[in-house]
Amino acid sequence: MLPFIQSAYFQNLLDGYPESVAIFNTDGYAYACNRHAREMLGIIDEEDFKGLLWDEFLPGIEEPDTFRRYMADARNQKGRREALEAVYITLDGDRLRLSLTTSLLVEYGKIFGILLSMTDVTHIYAMHARQRRFLEERHAMELARTRSLRTLSDAVAHQLRNPAMAIAGFARIALRKSDQALHEYLEGILDESVRLEAIVQAVTSYNAIRTAEPRHILLPEIAARVADEAYARGPESWRAIPLLLDVEETAVTVDADLTVALLTELVCNSLEAIASMPPSEDAPPGEVYLGAGMEDGLRYEVADTGPGIAADILPFVFDPFFTTMPDKVGMGLARVRRMAAELGLDITVHRREPGSVLITLDEDTELQDDIA
């Protein structure tokens, strides 16, 4: 032990240090400790700490083996000297969060001691805990609000469905029994009541979208289900439109049913768009492409060589009730975006050359990181 270590000057120097510090010799025994460290550890007599091994110096530390290795590695100059986060239980039973760092004391090229600096960061952890509780409470409030709005929407839809069906029923009866002169007006009432019923059904279907338990499934299995369901949903003429599959032999963990529903909706949109085009001997027959694989995360692609999307309506295609077809409700792509959000996918529509549309669905990596 060096004489100046025991001097009053050196002790005053240590006591003036703003953090809690202790010094150990190379054998691991404590021989100096400042006032802040003594207060934190409950050391009354200045001589009580001398001669204690480093793991005895902090008797209330959790995971003492980790602390012991940390100090030994510091002495042996092994590894990077990053701070060690540790939990310490004081004599009064208080739970402290400590950030421990070490520095080697060297004189004439020889190590004669190890300085242990102990910073109490309990208040930082407490602040983070408060922020986390605040965010959790706010998330719970938003979730409750969303559920309340969904319940209200379902209730409104239910209340609208019955009168819409009744109006349609009465309009049909009136059509059969009324004069020809009134048919035009009754048919208008019938058409609008049927449309109202379709809107109610679309809203109900939109609110019913939920993610279920993810499971392992091969991407080719998803693609095969999409092809079967898309062709089964439309007229027989759709089967003449090729659906090209380009899918990796990769297993993913997803909500398979919701993924199939999402991709089927997009493929059906493409099939319907191509089927609506007038036949032409000059233009090649339309086709639909479905791709899936891992490219910096999970990615799906749906493309077609149909009529395309006009640039002026592209920003609105995902808006609820937006449609260019008078006999449609305009909730198809809104449902697609909602399903994509439930699956953690970012969806984008790309206009390529005229008559070609590409829709990409990319895994939202920022969302996945937040969840992890």
Side-chain angles (χ1 to χ4, degrees):
M1 189 179 301
L2 299 179
F4 72 85
I5 292 295
Q6 302 178 20
S7 67
Y9 168 79
F10 183 75
Q11 187 61 54
N12 290 336
L13 184 65
L14 281 183
D15 288 343
Y17 197 72
E19 295 181 353
S20 302
V21 295
I23 299 177
F24 301 85
N25 63 23
T26 53
D27 293 326
Y29 291 96
Y31 59 74
C33 178
N34 73 347
R35 173 175 53 84
H36 296 297
R38 294 196 301 272
E39 291 175 353
M40 182 181 71
L41 301 176
I43 298 174
I44 300 175
D45 192 330
E46 294 186 10
E47 298 299 320
D48 287 348
F49 65 86
K50 293 182 178 179
L52 295 178
L53 284 168
W54 46 47
D55 51 348
E56 298 172 335
F57 185 78
L58 294 175
I61 196 169
E62 293 186 358
E63 300 184 11
D65 291 340
T66 301
F67 174 63
R68 190 180 300 113
R69 286 194 300 270
Y70 182 74
M71 296 297 293
D73 288 345
R75 177 183 58 190
N76 299 328
Q77 304 181 64
K78 291 183 179 179
R80 297 174 58 188
R81 303 313 312 140
E82 296 179 347
L84 174 66
E85 302 297 325
V87 175
Y88 183 78
I89 308 300
T90 68
L91 295 176
D92 296 331
D94 295 330
R95 184 182 179 87
L96 303 181
R97 292 277 190 169
L98 302 181
S99 178
L100 308 178
T101 56
T102 55
S103 301
L104 297 179
L105 303 178
V106 181
E107 190 173 39
Y108 302 116
K110 183 179 180 181
I111 299 173
F112 68 87
I114 302 170
L115 183 140
L116 174 66
S117 177
M118 299 164 282
T119 304
D120 186 357
V121 293
T122 307
H123 64 289
I124 297 177
Y125 277 86
M127 179 182 66
H128 289 168
R130 287 194 299 270
Q131 291 177 337
R132 185 169 59 252
R133 286 195 300 271
F134 170 75
L135 292 175
E136 289 173 350
E137 290 173 359
R138 189 171 70 176
H139 175 71
M141 291 174 61
E142 290 295 330
L143 185 60
R145 178 175 176 271
T146 301
R147 288 173 177 169
S148 176
L149 289 174
R150 287 177 179 173
T151 302
L152 176 61
S153 178
D154 287 339
V156 171
H158 179 74
Q159 293 300 319
L160 289 175
R161 181 185 294 112
N162 292 337
M165 294 175 64
I167 293 171
F170 287 131
R172 290 188 180 95
I173 295 173
L175 273 171
R176 292 196 301 268
K177 297 184 176 182
S178 65
D179 295 335
Q180 185 68 32
L182 297 175
H183 281 195
E184 180 181 354
Y185 305 106
L186 292 172
E187 286 172 354
I189 294 173
L190 178 60
D191 290 343
E192 292 306 314
S193 63
V194 170
R195 176 173 173 77
L196 179 59
E197 189 176 344
I199 291 174
V200 169
Q201 181 59 42
V203 171
T204 302
S205 177
Y206 181 87
N207 284 338
I209 296 171
R210 301 285 190 281
T211 52
E213 188 69 24
R215 64 180 180 88
H216 293 289
I217 187 171
L218 290 170
L219 286 177
E221 183 180 342
I222 291 177
R225 287 180 56 186
V226 170
D228 291 341
E229 293 189 20
Y231 282 132
R233 185 184 296 185
E236 188 65 27
S237 59
W238 282 13
R239 295 188 177 275
I241 303 172
L243 174 56
L244 309 179
L245 303 181
D246 181 15
V247 182
E248 292 182 7
E249 287 283 346
T250 303
V252 292
T253 303
V254 296
D255 181 339
D257 292 338
L258 192 57
T259 301
V260 169
L262 165 62
L263 296 176
T264 300
E265 191 77 38
L266 292 175
V267 169
C268 285
N269 278 357
S270 294
L271 291 171
E272 184 177 29
I274 293 173
S276 67
M277 297 172 63
S280 173
E281 296 181 357
D282 299 330
E287 60 185 22
V288 182
Y289 166 86
L290 171 60
M294 303 297 292
E295 183 180 330
D296 298 327
L298 180 60
R299 175 175 240 213
Y300 303 101
E301 293 181 349
V302 178
D304 65 64
T305 56
I309 300 176
D312 58 336
I313 69 170
L314 187 62
F316 311 107
V317 294
F318 291 114
D319 290 353
F321 306 113
F322 176 82
T323 179
T324 58
M325 302 179 183
D327 59 334
K328 299 292 183 180
V329 175
M331 286 293 290
L333 288 180
R335 290 184 71 254
V336 164
R337 185 170 63 176
R338 171 70 184 280
M339 288 187 280
E342 289 285 339
L343 292 167
L345 299 171
D346 288 327
I347 184 167
T348 309
V349 179
H350 310 266
R351 291 180 71 250
R352 299 188 293 184
E353 64 273 10
S356 180
V357 174
L358 169 65
I359 297 179
T360 58
L361 298 128
D362 294 288
E363 190 172 23
D364 190 336
T365 54
E366 291 185 3
L367 177 62
Q368 301 301 325
D369 291 342
D370 290 342
I371 295 174

